[in-house]
Amino acid sequence: MKVLVAVKRVVDDNVRVRLKGDGSGVETAHAKKAMNPFDEPAVEAAVRLREAGVAEEVVAVSVGEPGCEEVLRTALAFGADRAQLIEAEGELEPLGVSKALAAVAEREAPGLILLGQQATDDDAAQTGPMLAARLGWGQATFACALEAGEGEVRVTREVDGGKRDVAVPLPAVVTADLALNEPRYVKLPSIMKAKKKPLERQALEALGVDAAPRLDLLEVSEPPARPPGVRVDSAEALAERLRNEAQVC
Amino acid sequence: MTALVIAEHRGGQLAASARRAVSAARRLDAAVELLVIGGEEAAAAAEAAAAVEGVERVLCCAGEAYAAQLAEPLAARVAELAEQRGYTAVLAAASSLAKDFLPRVAAALDVAMLSDVTAIEDAETFQRPLYGGSVIARLRCREPVRVMTVRGTAFPGASDGGEAPVERLEPGAAPALSRLLEERLSDSGRPELTAARVVVAGGRGLRDEAGVRELEALADQLGAAIGATRGAVDDGLLPSDAQVGLTAKVVAPELYIAVGLSGAIYHVSGMKDSRVVVAINTDEEAPIMQLADYALAADLFEALPRLRRALAADS
């Protein structure tokens, strides 16, 4: 079985994002970038399937600007065998990305596609299920455990109020929760080796996919700040405030 | 202009989040129809749905294929209905269920989707958070069908007062792809986290079982739900379904008491719309202490028993 794993390049989670002066968007051009944190357990899970002999090959794919090569190299350093960069300029939305990934999947014919459940920039959590719908495949989102079985994957999903175990016939789409696994620490020799692994580039247009944005971003702003609070010096003073001032107890 | 709201339900009961989705839908200047889809128990929930104010019609689709609430059959049936009946909006309260099936509906209809909408300005102008809630985006959506999840905490729940007709629908499209093997829901006896009036949340500062017991004692006294940070979950102190944060549960209770947690951005974005925030932490400089309406710099093992006594004496 071949496993396809999709990765996204986002502003590094540890960086505080800045808004453009005119409020027309988020200043991303010069911000430090990294692989979307939710994609790391997806890549790790894919590599573990190959190490366990369940998968023969792991192909990493990313859709976006040329700089996405960087996160594909990270995926290769994790242990992916080869990578595909679908180059696209400008804004991309989950719908367009899911179409591009579906086109790649039709060509590569993987048995399983893994993705992060959401990306930390747009927090949409749409690409995985949209991709599954487009391909007509089954899906398991928010996976915190994954086990390959005969012709299916068994997945434990994190859901409101508990967990659900599902079996999804292959081919399938699975999106990773951070709890899926503990991604490995990538050592220098793996990073060096990743530089020599094959990385194929292709323009989005060549896939025959229309990924033009459908939504207009009117403006961005910072959320309103909460009014400043007060320090209380004892549990008794706190109880008194909660009862008489805030009137919540 | 007609909006279809997909109502969540369990055991024949309509979820509180469905009422919040109804009031969001009413802001779209559209007639609101409510779909209750599931197994045989959907009929009972549909009766409750008919009484929700502002609902013009309830559609009840009960069938074996929908009983397990799997994304593939749910999405196929909803997309089929949207096409047959020409809805201009399809929405549901943001939950692990809606986040699972609604993107499939949007893809089937070939329209962009909006996740976690926090404000509806008019039928095509919306607000939603980006970057863990540190940025608010205003977006215009002119898709023929507006597909979205709405954040329940951002909209009031529609009350009873309606008398909508219930239309029974035959089961329709239902591709058999995934199978439910087992569902394990935690039954703590406490209120549901996203619907609770009071949430008492703990972080790594709870340290051990003794800290968790202090937290639970306060929660029980206040009739509160228990929340957790990712750190407390990773350390095995609190269950993962208690996790509060943008990537877990988003809550906005009347009172949020944060105990032994620092206030990392991911946690804060899941609770910052709470009406009153209390922080109890030994670290005066912790971000949560700046955010809180009332900050108490104290050790929780000393402060929580005293707070319980003081609140009990007051009432």
Side-chain angles (χ1 to χ4, degrees):
Chain A
M1 177 172 75
K2 186 191 288 182
V3 177
L4 196 65
V5 59
V7 293
K8 184 178 186 182
R9 184 172 181 246
V10 298
V11 173
D12 189 300
D13 210 23
N14 300 310
V15 174
R16 191 180 164 79
V17 293
R18 300 219 329 242
L19 307 184
K20 288 179 183 163
D22 61 1
S24 63
V26 174
E27 187 59 72
T28 57
H30 304 292
K32 184 169 175 269
K33 312 266 182 22
M35 184 190 288
N36 170 35
F38 288 89
D39 297 343
E40 290 188 8
V43 177
E44 176 68 34
V47 173
R48 286 187 193 181
L49 286 172
R50 198 204 50 222
E51 288 167 348
V54 176
E56 288 92 47
E57 189 183 31
V58 174
V59 182
V61 57
S62 190
V63 185
E65 56 200 90
C68 293
E69 173 175 348
E70 175 191 306
V71 294
L72 286 171
R73 293 289 172 199
T74 305
L76 293 168
F78 266 84
D81 299 293
R82 60 185 172 89
Q84 285 204 28
L85 172 53
I86 308 302
E87 289 191 347
E89 294 296 333
E91 288 297 315
L92 288 167
E93 291 169 355
L95 182 70
V97 172
S98 70
K99 289 179 181 181
L101 293 176
V104 172
E106 273 156 15
R107 201 173 52 195
E108 292 279 348
L112 179 67
I113 305 178
L114 285 158
L115 311 85
Q117 68 177 46
Q118 70 192 87
T120 54
D121 50 2
D122 63 11
D123 289 314
Q126 296 170 5
T127 305
M130 282 180 164
L131 171 60
R134 191 148 184 96
L135 294 167
W137 296 3
Q139 69 181 49
T141 52
F142 317 130
C144 61
L146 169 73
E147 195 189 322
E150 198 57 50
E152 64 180 24
V153 279
R154 291 182 173 230
V155 176
T156 302
R157 303 182 52 228
E158 286 273 358
V159 298
D160 297 348
K163 292 186 162 55
R164 296 184 118 210
D165 299 332
V166 293
V168 193
L170 299 176
V173 172
V174 174
T175 74
D177 185 274
L178 291 173
L180 180 58
N181 53 46
E182 186 74 43
R184 68 195 60 194
Y185 179 76
V186 176
K187 298 197 181 76
L188 189 62
S190 305
I191 296 170
M192 299 310 289
K193 217 168 125 191
K195 289 183 180 170
K196 298 195 183 99
K197 288 185 180 176
L199 187 147
E200 185 194 337
R201 277 172 236 272
Q202 192 170 13
L204 179 66
E205 294 74 34
L207 293 175
V209 165
D210 174 17
R214 306 282 190 89
L215 304 170
D216 305 323
L217 180 62
L218 302 176
E219 64 175 327
V220 293
S221 59
E222 290 190 5
R226 291 183 70 95
V230 295
R231 300 284 163 132
V232 291
D233 56 13
S234 71
E236 291 73 23
L238 174 58
E240 195 274 327
R241 294 263 197 171
L242 289 177
R243 191 168 175 76
N244 298 320
E245 191 174 81
Q247 302 187 334
V248 283
C249 279
Chain B
M1 295 278 288
T2 309
L4 181 68
V5 173
I6 295 100
E8 240 168 273
H9 57 97
R10 180 171 293 281
Q13 305 279 318
L14 190 70
S17 65
R19 297 174 179 274
R20 295 175 178 273
V22 167
S23 60
R26 293 182 71 183
R27 299 191 56 87
L28 294 167
D29 302 322
V32 178
E33 298 191 357
L34 203 59
L35 171 68
V36 183
I37 179 167
E40 290 310 316
E41 80 293 345
E47 289 306 318
V52 176
E53 190 166 19
V55 175
E56 300 211 354
R57 179 190 302 271
V58 173
L59 307 177
C60 177
C61 183
E64 196 46 45
Y66 311 116
Q69 303 277 288
L70 293 161
E72 303 91 345
L74 291 185
R77 186 71 179 112
V78 171
E80 184 179 55
L81 275 174
E83 279 177 343
Q84 285 168 353
R85 303 199 172 205
Y87 292 111
T88 49
V90 175
L91 60 164
S95 66
S96 56
L97 176 69
K99 288 178 176 183
D100 193 34
F101 81 84
L102 214 47
R104 278 188 90 102
V105 175
L109 300 174
D110 192 25
V111 294
M113 175 180 158
L114 295 155
S115 297
D116 281 305
V117 167
T118 50
I120 297 175
E121 295 180 21
D122 57 46
E124 56 187 35
T125 315
F126 306 89
Q127 293 180 21
R128 64 173 302 264
L130 306 175
Y131 292 94
S134 59
V135 176
I136 305 294
R138 272 182 83 222
L139 295 147
R140 181 172 295 137
C141 175
R142 288 188 166 141
E143 294 283 28
V145 190
R146 262 78 91 186
V147 179
M148 71 191 87
T149 56
V150 296
R151 190 172 281 181
T153 54
F155 300 92
S159 47
D160 275 350
E163 245 181 275
V166 178
E167 180 185 341
R168 299 290 298 245
L169 300 177
E170 290 302 314
L177 287 162
S178 34
R179 282 179 296 135
L180 177 65
L181 303 174
E182 194 191 352
E183 186 166 51
R184 285 162 284 146
L185 300 181
S186 56
D187 183 16
S188 62
R190 296 195 178 88
E192 206 273 305
L193 184 55
T194 56
R197 198 187 71 88
V198 181
V199 173
V200 176
R204 283 209 156 105
L206 295 176
R207 294 208 294 269
D208 54 23
E209 233 353 83
V212 173
R213 279 197 298 273
E214 286 296 339
L215 192 79
E216 288 174 342
L218 180 62
D220 289 341
Q221 181 171 331
L222 297 175
I226 286 190
T229 62
R230 172 148 207 101
V233 172
D234 284 349
D235 286 0
L237 292 167
L238 294 168
S240 59
D241 59 355
Q243 193 178 319
V244 171
L246 187 88
T247 61
K249 302 278 166 54
V250 177
V251 302
E254 282 287 294
L255 174 61
Y256 191 92
I257 303 181
V259 180
L261 65 88
S262 64
I265 176 73
Y266 265 86
H267 181 76
V268 166
S269 57
M271 50 66 70
K272 67 184 164 53
D273 295 323
S274 304
R275 187 169 81 81
V276 177
V277 175
V278 170
I280 299 172
N281 203 305
T282 48
D283 178 9
E284 296 231 23
E285 303 304 317
I288 194 74
M289 298 289 270
Q290 320 303 316
L291 175 102
D293 299 292
Y294 301 109
L296 174 61
D299 180 69
L300 70 99
F301 291 96
E302 191 227 324
L304 292 196
R306 281 174 60 182
L307 179 61
R308 288 208 311 276
R309 276 196 297 277
L311 287 171
D314 275 0
S315 53

